[in-house]
Amino acid sequence: GRLPTRQDRAYARWLAQCLRWPVLADVASGLRRDPALLRAELLVPLQDTLLADPVLSAALDPDMVVQLGGPIVSKRLPKWCASA
């Protein structure tokens, strides 16, 4: 969701880097093109396209989903989170 301050985005980045978890960044998060997450290969590119494919989205089976920030703008991401 929306991470309005630079500090919010820094904490989200820090958490992802410490856990080495992939990030599906919502358009409102400010992390969609984050250089540090890109370098660490933690940012999932084209997530909406991936989640639109029923075979690919079904194959993604996380043990946990952590949402940070405000409500998610994407329509596919919350549906996928709910099904996961």
Side-chain angles (χ1 to χ4, degrees):
R2 184 171 180 262
L3 298 168
T5 69
R6 185 177 300 172
Q7 187 175 20
D8 292 336
R9 292 185 293 278
Y11 286 140
R13 182 184 313 110
W14 174 83
L15 182 63
Q17 290 173 324
C18 286
L19 296 173
R20 302 291 306 154
W21 286 2
V23 174
L24 285 82
D26 189 58
V27 69
S29 70
L31 295 175
R32 272 242 164 125
R33 293 187 180 106
D34 185 272
L37 293 176
L38 285 167
R39 278 192 305 275
E41 297 181 350
L42 294 174
L43 204 56
V44 177
L46 305 171
Q47 69 188 30
D48 287 329
T49 304
L50 294 172
L51 296 177
D53 183 310
V55 174
L56 284 175
S57 65
L60 300 172
D61 187 24
D63 293 327
M64 181 179 299
V65 174
V66 177
Q67 178 189 339
L68 302 175
I72 297 173
V73 174
S74 165
K75 291 182 182 180
R76 289 186 182 114
L77 188 54
K79 287 180 185 177
W80 176 78
C81 288
S83 69

